[in-house]
Amino acid sequence: MSVHISTTYLGDLRCEATHGPSSMNLLTDAPVDNMGKGESFSPTDLVATALGTCMATTMGIYAKRQDIDLGRIAVSVEKEMTKESPRRIAQLTVELRVPLPESHAHREALERAALTCPVAKSLHADVAMPVRFVWNG
């Protein structure tokens, strides 16, 4: 399956992207530390967002298939950029707070679903990705 996303550069380091299937729009802005205004997600912020939402979504897919009430997972992603050139994402630190008990029968499978989400598997090996699961059901 393919999805078309069109992007228009609006000037002043800002872009507008349109998701083809839904026609939903989002804006990006360069971050303050890279000549931008930081008034919206930067492109690398979207990578961090994609990772967190992908992990939660794949856990949700597994839970739905197993008829598990997953509740609301809270995901936090901290993005760190390299200090040296070339500018790139150095690390994405992820914490997933899962409202299920640590002893849940599907805990390992749910964690595996998150860790093998398509975004995590698409990131370059040079991007460090420590992940912490907090089970608090």
Side-chain angles (χ1 to χ4, degrees):
M1 178 180 161
S2 69
V3 173
H4 180 78
I5 299 165
S6 60
T7 302
T8 303
Y9 179 71
L10 302 175
D12 205 19
L13 307 180
R14 179 167 289 182
C15 292
E16 180 178 41
T18 303
H19 179 250
S22 68
S23 298
M24 294 292 293
N25 295 322
L26 65 82
L27 293 175
T28 64
D29 194 20
V32 173
D33 68 348
N34 200 25
M35 301 174 49
K37 295 179 182 176
E39 294 176 344
S40 189
F41 289 90
S42 74
T44 56
D45 291 344
L46 292 178
V47 173
T49 303
L51 178 62
T53 58
C54 190
M55 288 180 149
T57 299
T58 55
M59 290 177 80
I61 290 168
Y62 176 85
K64 189 172 187 173
R65 286 182 179 151
Q66 300 299 317
D67 200 28
I68 299 167
D69 182 5
L70 196 53
R72 298 180 86 148
I73 300 172
V75 184
S76 171
V77 181
E78 185 74 25
K79 178 193 77 172
E80 296 175 49
M81 300 296 290
T82 56
K83 294 182 181 14
E84 69 285 337
S85 189
R87 185 175 174 88
R88 65 173 185 82
I89 298 169
Q91 181 164 303
L92 295 169
T93 303
V94 183
E95 180 179 278
L96 296 104
R97 294 187 163 276
V98 185
L100 295 174
E102 192 169 354
S103 62
H104 194 279
H106 292 269
R107 175 185 171 182
E108 284 184 29
L110 286 162
E111 288 183 1
R112 188 170 44 257
L115 295 171
T116 59
C117 80
V119 173
K121 289 299 181 185
S122 298
L123 292 172
H124 194 281
D126 288 349
V127 177
M129 193 177 57
V131 177
R132 178 175 175 240
F133 293 90
V134 178
W135 294 84
N136 54 5

